[in-house]
Amino acid sequence: GAGVSQSPSNKVTEKGKDVELRCDPISGHTALYWYRQSLGQGLEFLIYFQGNSAPDKSGLPSDRFSAERTGGSVSTLTIQRTQQEDSAVYLCASSLGGGGAVYEQYFGPGTRLTVT
Amino acid sequence: AQRVTQPEKLLSVFKGAPVELKCNYSYSGSPELFWYVQYSRQRLQLLLRHISRESIKGFTADLNKGETSFHLKKPFAQEEDSAMYYCAGSGNTGKLIFGQGTTLQVKP
């Protein structure tokens, strides 16, 4: 079946502009995660959605970052007023998730964001 | 704070040599530990998890609670093992805390 997909694959934006990154999880997966992969910081957790529960936003680096998940499926990560330090690869993952059990996470190909 | 540490950024070995990628963790409770791998131009994928105790592509990893380690080992490295390897830990929410990653380079 189809894996996790992300769009766009590459995004170049000017400092100060807003960007939206999209993630389509595997159908039926209730858990969705966003991570950021950057040279200086490695792979960092950003935010986690599980079903209808309130998201775990503990990894968001600033209030310029937000995410939503509509209808328990597609998710959008929004970065407002982008800064150069936001340049990174943004990864989305999904899993069957929930209930206190830990399921395998399946990762998307990522969106490479470059802020000029 | 929860932390996963991979002390080596780069590990370079010759084909056929043994490989050990180090991982140490600091977690409250009983975390689940994983190794993820990213081959060139491919997406991040799960290699193995401690709870399953299986060997994947000849790799094994043993959880040592006394030393809080989860080192990844393979007795004979192959060129196709060249990749970036990430150790990760998870509490019961499933969110992963990753180490900094180790690039494994297997030379012919």
Side-chain angles (χ1 to χ4, degrees):
Chain A
V4 177
S5 60
Q6 292 185 245
S7 61
S9 55
N10 278 284
K11 176 72 177 178
V12 180
T13 190
E14 291 180 356
K15 177 181 171 181
K17 295 285 179 70
D18 297 352
V19 294
E20 285 189 351
L21 312 181
R22 177 188 168 105
C23 172
D24 282 87
I26 293 172
S27 177
H29 280 191
T30 61
L32 187 147
Y33 305 81
W34 283 97
Y35 298 90
R36 179 168 71 173
Q37 188 175 29
S38 57
L39 280 176
Q41 303 297 325
L43 264 166
E44 306 169 273
F45 164 78
L46 296 177
I47 188 169
Y48 157 55
F49 296 90
Q50 170 53 48
N52 295 322
S53 302
D56 176 348
K57 304 179 183 180
S58 60
L60 294 179
S62 78
D63 58 8
R64 296 186 295 105
F65 288 71
S66 63
E68 61 177 21
R69 188 178 184 192
T70 52
S73 180
V74 171
S75 177
T76 303
L77 177 69
T78 301
I79 309 173
Q80 296 179 307
R81 304 182 302 283
T82 52
Q83 303 295 313
Q84 288 187 329
E85 61 262 29
D86 300 335
S87 297
V89 176
Y90 289 82
L91 296 176
C92 176
S94 71
S95 72
L96 288 171
V102 178
Y103 295 88
E104 178 178 353
Q105 292 184 30
Y106 295 83
F107 282 80
T111 293
R112 182 175 297 277
L113 175 66
T114 303
V115 181
T116 61
Chain B
Q2 299 164 339
R3 183 177 297 170
V4 176
T5 305
Q6 293 177 252
E8 303 142 326
K9 282 191 175 180
L10 172 67
L11 183 63
S12 186
V13 302
F14 285 102
K15 176 182 171 182
V19 170
E20 182 179 52
L21 289 86
K22 291 184 167 48
C23 173
N24 288 88
Y25 65 92
S26 174
Y27 253 88
S28 57
S30 298
E32 186 151 354
L33 278 299
F34 304 83
W35 277 97
Y36 278 80
V37 62
Q38 190 167 28
Y39 300 103
S40 179
R41 290 184 291 277
Q42 293 188 28
R43 35 182 96 184
L44 194 64
Q45 58 187 282
L46 179 66
L47 180 62
L48 54 80
R49 58 197 296 180
H50 90 269
I51 201 169
S52 62
R53 295 178 173 272
E54 55 189 345
S55 171
I56 305 292
K57 299 185 179 183
F59 284 97
T60 59
D62 291 320
L63 181 62
N64 185 322
K65 291 185 179 180
E67 296 183 358
T68 58
S69 68
F70 188 56
H71 302 328
L72 183 68
K73 299 178 184 178
K74 184 169 183 176
F76 307 104
Q78 303 298 314
E79 289 181 67
E80 56 265 30
D81 296 329
S82 295
M84 174 73 96
Y85 291 80
Y86 291 96
C87 183
S90 175
N92 61 5
T93 63
K95 76 182 186 188
L96 294 168
I97 305 297
F98 286 92
Q100 290 290 90
T102 299
T103 299
L104 175 63
Q105 184 182 75
V106 182
K107 297 178 285 189

